[in-house]
Structure formats: C-alpha cells, structure tokens
Amino acid sequence: MFSADDVRRLCTTFPPAAGTPLRVVRSNSGLANLNCAQLRVSELIGLALGSSDVPHKIKVSEIAEKLDLQGGVVEQLLPWDESGWLLAEDKTIITRTGYQALCKALFSQADEEPIVITSFTKNNGISKNTFRKLVEDVNASLSSNNAEVVQDYALGFWGRHDELVYNKRYRRWLEEEVATILKAAERPKIIIGSTFQGDPPGDFLEYIANSLCETGFDGVDGHISRNCDGEIEFFPYSYIVARRDALLQDLRDGKIPLLHHTDLTGADPRIADIGRFANEQLGVNAITLKNSVASTAYIGHLARVTKSDLERRGWAHVNISDAKLDAEDTSIFLSLVRRRIEDMHDGPRIEQIPSRSDYLFLVDWVEEFHKSMDDEIYRLAQELWKKSCDLKFQWPHVHKAVGKKYLDLDTEIVRGILEQRKAGAEAAFSRHIQRFQDDALLKFSHAWKEKVLVRLQLYRIGVQNLGDIRLQEELYSTLFDHTTKTLVPEFLQKCRNKDLIKGSPLERGIEKLQQALAGIKAGMEELKDQFASTMEAIDAFTKTIRVEAWTDVELEQRKAVQLREMANNMKKDEDGPRLFLALVLVMQAAHRPGIVYSTGKYAPRLLKQLTDVMDTEKYAWMQKMKEAAKLGTMTPDEKTEIRAQAALRVGVSYGSSR
C-alpha cells in the first residue's frame, strides 16, 4: 500500500506525459482523468443527462474545489461549443437552469416595458456582450414559431449605442397609445413616460413620438421638441400654423421689425427654403436679408420717424439693437431705411459714418459740423501761435471743444465724425500755422526793409561820399556800434513784442544773424572792413527773408521821407546841440548822396565838408550856430531859424527862414 505522501512524491517525480488526459490534482494527492472531469463539469452546470438540482449560478472556484482541480483547468473543460449556459465577468457560471431563467425573464420583461440594458446586466451580473448573446438566443428560440409570433415577440435594440431592448408588440402598443394622445391635442401637449405602461425612458419616448410625426402615423401631424425643462412637448401642426401666421401678420403690419431665419424655422420646422417661403407668404410686405426677413411696413415707419428726427436736429439714431442682427444684416437693414428716406418726395441728402452706420446725418448738418471743427482747428492754431507754444496739432483739444457744441450727441459718435477728417484736420492746422508764419514773415520783412535796411543803405552811401577819409573811418565805427547795439537789437525786440518773430525758419535766420554780428571783431584794423562785414551779415539775412534791396530811385524817395521826418522831429526838439547836428546832417543830405549817421561829436567836422557847397554868408551863420551849440547859448530865435532852415531844405512848411 502507498501512503498519501508516497503518491504525492510519485506524481511530482513522474508527472503525466504530454497529450495524455491525466493531470495531477490540485492537492497533489493523485491523478485526474480530464475526460471524466469534463463529464462531471457538464453535470454541475446542468448540461449533462441526468443533471438535477442545479443552482442558477456556480463559481468556477467551487467546481475546482469539488473536482480538486486548478481553476484554469476547469475553464478549459467548459463546453464552449454548447449553448444554454453563460460565463459572467466575475468567473461565475450561469448554469443551464439560470440561463433558462434569464431568457424567460428577458422575454417576459420585454413584453411589458423597454429594457434598459445597463440595468439588466448590472442586476444579473453579466456583461453587455453576454446580454447580446442572450438576446440572440431568445430570438433564435422564436424562429421555430410562425411569422406572427416572431413579428410580435422578437427583441430589437434601440439607441445610438444600443441602450434599450424592446419587443415589437410593446412598441406597436406604445405607438398606438402615444398616437391617440397626439391626435387629440389641439394645443401643445407634454408627454410623460410615467403615464404609459412600462414607464418608457424619455429618449425612447421622444424617438417614438418623433417617428409618429415624421411618418404621419394614423393621422398624427405635428412636431416634437424638448422644452426648457427638458420635457417632451408636442405641437399640433394646426397650432404651429396658427402661431406662425400670427407672427407673419405682425411682420406685415410692422409690429415687429423683422424675423430671423431661426425665428421662422422655430415657428414652423417644416420651412425648408426661407427665401421662397417669404416670397410666397409675404410678397412685397417683407424683404429677405441674408439671415432674416425684414418688415416693409416697419422700415417705412422707421424711415418716417428717422426723417422727422433728422429734420428736427440734423441727425438721427436708427435704434435696432433689440433686433439682435448680425453685422451683415444690420448693414443691409440700415441701408434700406436710408434709401427709403432718400426716396421720399422731399427726402434729404444723408451721410453716415463707417464706425456707426446706425446714425444718419443731414449733409447740411455734417457741413456745419465740419465748419465747427475747422473753426476749432483755427482757434487752436491761433492760440498756440499767440502763446508761442509747441506748434503741434492737439487732437484731444479739438475733440473736446467740438464735443461741447454737440452735447446731445454721444461722444463716440462725435469722435467717429471727427476721425473721418483727422488727416485733413492735421493738414488744415499746418496750413493755419504756415499762414501765420507767412503773415508774420511778411510783416517782419516789410518792417525790416522800412526800418533797418533803408537806413543802412542810406547811411552807407552817406559815409562813402564824404571827402575826409579819417572822418569816414570814424563814422564807420560809429555806424557799426549803432547797427549792432541799437538799430538791429531794438528793431528785433519791437518785432518780438508784436509777435512778428515766430516760426522756425525766421527764428533760425535771426539767430544766425545775431551770431554773425556778435562774431565781428570790434578791433579790426580797418573800421571800414568792420562795417562791411556787418553789412555782409545784414545782406545775407535780407536774402534769407526774401527782401529785395532798395533801388537807387527808391532810395531817393525814401531819403526824402527820412529827411522830412528829421525836420518834423526838430519842431519839438529844444536841445541846441541836437538841433545843430540835425541841421548839419540835413545840409549834408541836401548836397550829397545818402544820409550820414553821426553823433554831435562829429558835427563840426561834418560842417567843414559843406564849405564848397555853401555861400560865405550861410556858412558863417552855420559857424555861429556851431559856437552857440558848443557854449549852450543858443537863443529861441536861433533854434527857430535852425528848424526853418532844415524845413526849407527838405520841403517842409515851417515859418520864415534866411
């Protein structure tokens, strides 16, 4: 006899050869014949003849324990080519008895309600694939019956992902029940699954109702949709048509501005071609846009209201924000309103701005607006010019100033109108500044020619025609000082006080002149060269401001004017030495070209220059006046006579003279 341990050692030492039906049992206590084991497995799951008292379910592990086999060996022994049993995902075998019970339950339940696959598989512990095999087996078992039975009880899948199973008899019953309710409805009707046997799921019920409407089953005519609460709602087509026609009538009457395409298809889902439908139903009462249909009556009404606003204040806002149009349809709609206004008997000319096409403006109003804008640009230029500020265009200033005149208009709209002419506004500002510069330069140039250039030309000629070279040199020095320290600086200061020196070109020219005059060396060996350099700087500046030098004929005329001014100034002068100097200068100018500029210091020497052009008696009198001026003993009568002599020489009326 072998003990149990001996058997285990023999089995371990001499395992069965490959291909034999023998296997070492799980306890290693002996060998099992697989052919016999397979018969035993069939008995346990209820497939073998004589099987009795088989449970609905049995785990693979239980069979393995009963047969003292490994679980994997048991799975290999299962009769896969047989039907009538199922292997669940948890390795639980649904035996033939359990399988038959599942088939019966599936068949019975489907006759009363649609079966939610996830619920059935979860409740019975089987996979979806196992469930599909179960359905196939049920339908196969019906194939032996007549066609009517198959037609009534065959199971079918429903749903995008096969969510439900139902039998065709239940579906026909449900269709008839739903159809009865839908046909009786005169107004919108909510369909609830719980009111039907089997409480069909909402999606399936919606599918059934939709199929009835689409096929017109038993006279069902309407539309199914989900409301905002997710409920299934049926709309009888008679109700849809009545509601749609009421909406169309509102559009015809102009009570609503327009209908979006989605409004129409929402009102009547059977509308396929919006354009064709609108033409047939509305005709001239509506205009089809790209994504909506506009009311002709409403456009006419809006055009009349807008025209009234335009005539009253020059602008109008076409407010269609409630219509919620897209950009393209908004543009078309506003164009229709504008065209309707312009086509009226006394329709005005209208303008729009690209940034806000919902605003319309009379052309006359826009022109007045632009005039206000131009006025503000001019005022800005004038203000900056007077203040000598940075002469740059200030767009915010113009926008703010113009906006104050149009407080009833949104600032965004004011900006939009201004923006249309922004480039032109900057150009206009530049033109104003240029005009101010040109005017200032013109006035400056005229004053320069009248107050500076004519004097220097006459003074230069006067000095050049003196016979005394030494005196010439000294008077050149005097003239240099007068020009650089008095004549030019005082003239420039007066021009600045009168705002005549503005604008970069003129300012740069004056700066260059002042630098040139300051650079002339006061200690040049030849005083004549000193003044010549001064005149070169003066002439160069004169050319930059485009002033022509006085001609000889013009200088003679201006000389006469200068001398008359000197004579007239003498009438109020009581200073003896100054009166004597003035008389000497007048006498010099009367007998020689130009006018000499001199101080009283050089009056005696200038008098000597007149010995060859004056008679002895008059020269003697002049000598007497020189002494009186020198000693300060000049009498009032002598002063009067000096004034009279000067007036006589220049042709000014003044009492008696010698």
Side-chain angles (χ1 to χ4, degrees), residues 13 59 114 215 264 350 367 426 559 570 601 621:
T13 307
K59 290 187 176 182
T215 61
L264 288 170
I350 299 172
E367 290 175 353
E426 294 181 5
K559 175 181 176 180
M570 292 171 68
K601 174 183 176 181
W621 180 80

Side-chain angles (χ1 to χ4, degrees), residues 121 149 197 224 238 338 349 389 441 451 474 509 571 594:
T121 55
V149 172
Q197 176 187 320
I224 295 292
S238 57
R338 174 178 176 174
R349 292 184 302 148
C389 298
L441 179 59
K451 302 297 183 182
E474 293 181 30
K571 292 177 184 180

Side-chain angles (χ1 to χ4, degrees), residues 410-444:
D410 190 275
T411 55
E412 179 189 349
I413 307 305
V414 173
R415 184 185 296 108
I417 304 173
L418 292 172
E419 288 287 349
Q420 285 186 290
R421 296 187 59 183
K422 186 172 183 180
E426 294 181 5
F429 175 83
S430 298
R431 286 195 298 272
H432 291 319
I433 295 298
Q434 187 61 52
R435 191 176 298 116
F436 294 150
Q437 290 178 347
D438 293 344
D439 291 345
L441 179 59
L442 182 63
K443 292 177 182 178
F444 177 88

Side-chain angles (χ1 to χ4, degrees), residues 384-385 388-392 430 433-438 440-441 444 496 499-514 541 544-545:
L384 295 180
W385 178 263
S388 299
C389 298
D390 187 10
L391 300 177
K392 289 184 179 179
S430 298
I433 295 298
Q434 187 61 52
R435 191 176 298 116
F436 294 150
Q437 290 178 347
D438 293 344
L441 179 59
F444 177 88
R496 285 194 174 92
D499 286 334
L500 297 182
I501 301 178
K502 286 183 178 178
S504 298
L506 180 58
E507 290 176 347
R508 284 196 298 270
I510 290 174
E511 183 180 359
K512 189 174 181 180
L513 169 64
Q514 291 174 324
F541 174 72
T544 63
I545 60 174

Side-chain angles (χ1 to χ4, degrees), residues 59-258:
K59 290 187 176 182
V60 171
S61 59
E62 292 180 21
I63 296 175
E65 185 174 353
K66 287 183 178 183
L67 301 182
D68 196 14
L69 294 174
Q70 298 290 341
V73 174
V74 172
E75 289 183 27
Q76 293 175 11
L77 297 176
L78 288 170
W80 295 102
D81 57 340
E82 298 281 354
S83 62
W85 67 275
L86 297 171
L87 179 63
E89 291 183 330
D90 61 352
K91 292 192 176 182
T92 296
I93 298 171
I94 299 174
T95 66
R96 181 178 185 84
T97 304
Y99 172 79
Q100 290 172 342
L102 278 179
C103 287
K104 184 178 180 180
L106 179 62
F107 183 84
S108 299
Q109 186 177 344
D111 198 36
E112 297 178 358
E113 64 180 0
I115 298 173
V116 179
I117 296 175
T118 53
S119 298
F120 192 92
T121 55
K122 181 178 180 181
N123 292 337
N124 292 282
I126 60 175
S127 68
K128 192 171 183 179
N129 288 334
T130 298
F131 179 84
R132 185 176 293 277
K133 183 177 184 302
L134 196 63
V135 171
E136 291 173 357
D137 288 348
V138 169
N139 286 338
S141 68
L142 294 173
S143 61
S144 60
N145 296 288
N146 59 46
E148 185 176 346
V149 172
V150 174
Q151 183 69 24
D152 284 344
Y153 296 101
L155 302 181
F157 287 91
W158 175 86
R160 181 177 299 178
H161 303 292
D162 294 344
E163 290 88 359
L164 295 177
V165 162
Y166 62 92
N167 77 15
K168 297 181 180 180
R169 192 167 78 101
Y170 177 83
R171 172 172 174 164
R172 282 199 304 275
W173 172 84
L174 183 60
E175 287 174 340
E176 291 170 356
E177 290 293 310
V178 173
T180 300
I181 294 173
L182 300 187
K183 286 191 297 179
E186 295 180 355
R187 297 185 60 79
K189 175 71 176 177
I190 293 176
I191 308 170
I192 303 173
S194 60
T195 60
F196 300 96
Q197 176 187 320
D199 190 9
D203 289 345
F204 182 66
L205 185 60
E206 183 181 8
Y207 162 74
I208 293 295
N210 263 323
S211 66
L212 296 178
C213 292
E214 291 172 0
T215 61
F217 178 86
D218 199 20
V220 173
D221 190 14
H223 177 70
I224 295 292
S225 66
R226 293 270 189 169
N227 62 23
C228 58
D229 295 325
E231 298 170 318
I232 304 167
E233 193 166 9
F234 170 72
F235 294 87
Y237 194 64
S238 57
Y239 173 84
I240 289 174
V241 170
R243 185 180 62 175
R244 180 202 70 192
D245 290 347
L247 199 60
L248 294 179
Q249 191 59 47
D250 285 346
L251 189 73
R252 291 189 193 94
D253 296 341
K255 294 180 181 179
I256 54 177
L258 50 83

Side-chain angles (χ1 to χ4, degrees), residues 270-309:
R270 296 184 186 179
I271 298 175
D273 187 330
I274 298 291
R276 182 177 178 180
F277 175 82
N279 287 333
E280 291 176 352
Q281 296 290 325
L282 299 168
V284 297
N285 295 308
I287 299 173
T288 302
L289 310 182
K290 184 174 180 60
N291 297 302
S292 56
V293 177
S295 167
T296 304
Y298 186 87
I299 290 174
H301 164 73
L302 192 57
R304 289 188 293 274
V305 173
T306 303
K307 181 174 179 289
S308 175
D309 288 344

